[in-house]
Amino acid sequence: MPKRAWVGGRGDRPVIDVSWDDAKGYLAWLSQKTGKQYRLPTEAEWEHAAQALAAGGIAAGNFVESQALHPMPVARIGAGLRQLFGDVWEHPDLSKRDRSLVTVAVLAALYRTDEMRGHMQRALDNGVTETELKGLITHVAFYAGWPCAVNAGRVAIDVFGPK
């Protein structure tokens, strides 16, 4: 078993404070212990699943049992990610309002247009104001560049509707 003692992870509670290397170490240990091969999803698999979830569905396709997203018996990647995303959004370290601000800022900086639409609406639902989102976009312009901010501004116009 890896030597690190992670926080949480009992019953239905998620494990937190786990680095990429910790997760890989745990999966290597689990693979050796069970005789099955476990791995983390690739970036392309995460992107595919995130796009499916953003569209309101679950990711298509099954993972082979030995390639499970995590060692719990989850057959479909969408089910595991739904659990993961729910855990992230319900974690008490940040309010949903603050988490929405961070999420929209990151999506704007990464030029993630499709994901940003849903998260801007979610931010409004979580108590972030249009004025605050406009300020966020201006702030992103200075740190991520004008193209990212202009793109986020176009998304905001779509989300806010005509004035």
Side-chain angles (χ1 to χ4, degrees):
M1 178 73 158
K3 294 178 184 165
R4 176 163 166 82
W6 298 305
V7 179
R10 305 237 192 308
D12 290 343
R13 293 182 6 221
V15 177
I16 60 172
D17 295 331
V18 179
S19 72
W20 180 263
D21 290 332
D22 288 340
K24 286 175 53 179
Y26 175 76
L27 293 176
W29 170 84
L30 184 64
S31 295
Q32 182 181 14
K33 179 122 175 116
T34 64
K36 297 178 181 178
Q37 186 63 37
Y38 291 91
R39 67 176 177 84
L40 294 170
T42 66
E43 185 175 347
E45 289 164 343
W46 275 112
E47 185 67 27
H48 174 73
Q51 288 173 358
L53 290 173
I58 64 170
N62 291 324
F63 268 89
V64 177
E65 178 183 305
S66 64
Q67 296 177 340
L69 177 62
H70 45 75
M72 293 177 13
V74 175
R76 297 182 65 86
I77 186 171
L81 284 175
R82 219 175 271 287
Q83 176 73 29
L84 173 66
F85 287 140
D87 290 345
V88 167
W89 277 92
E90 296 302 323
H91 199 276
D93 287 350
L94 288 173
S95 68
K96 287 184 181 181
R97 181 191 177 285
D98 292 347
R99 200 173 301 278
S100 285
L101 280 169
V102 171
T103 302
V104 172
V106 169
L107 292 173
L110 293 174
Y111 210 96
R112 301 290 188 184
T113 307
D114 293 335
E115 294 87 352
M116 203 179 341
R117 281 184 178 80
H119 281 285
M120 274 194 187
Q121 184 58 57
R122 185 175 196 167
L124 293 170
D125 295 343
N126 286 337
V128 178
T129 66
E130 286 186 21
T131 301
E132 289 171 317
L133 287 173
K134 290 174 185 175
L136 177 150
I137 292 166
T138 301
H139 198 73
V140 164
F142 288 95
Y143 286 91
W146 288 106
C148 291
V150 168
N151 182 58
R154 289 183 185 129
V155 172
I157 289 169
D158 290 346
V159 171
F160 301 159
K163 297 287 178 201

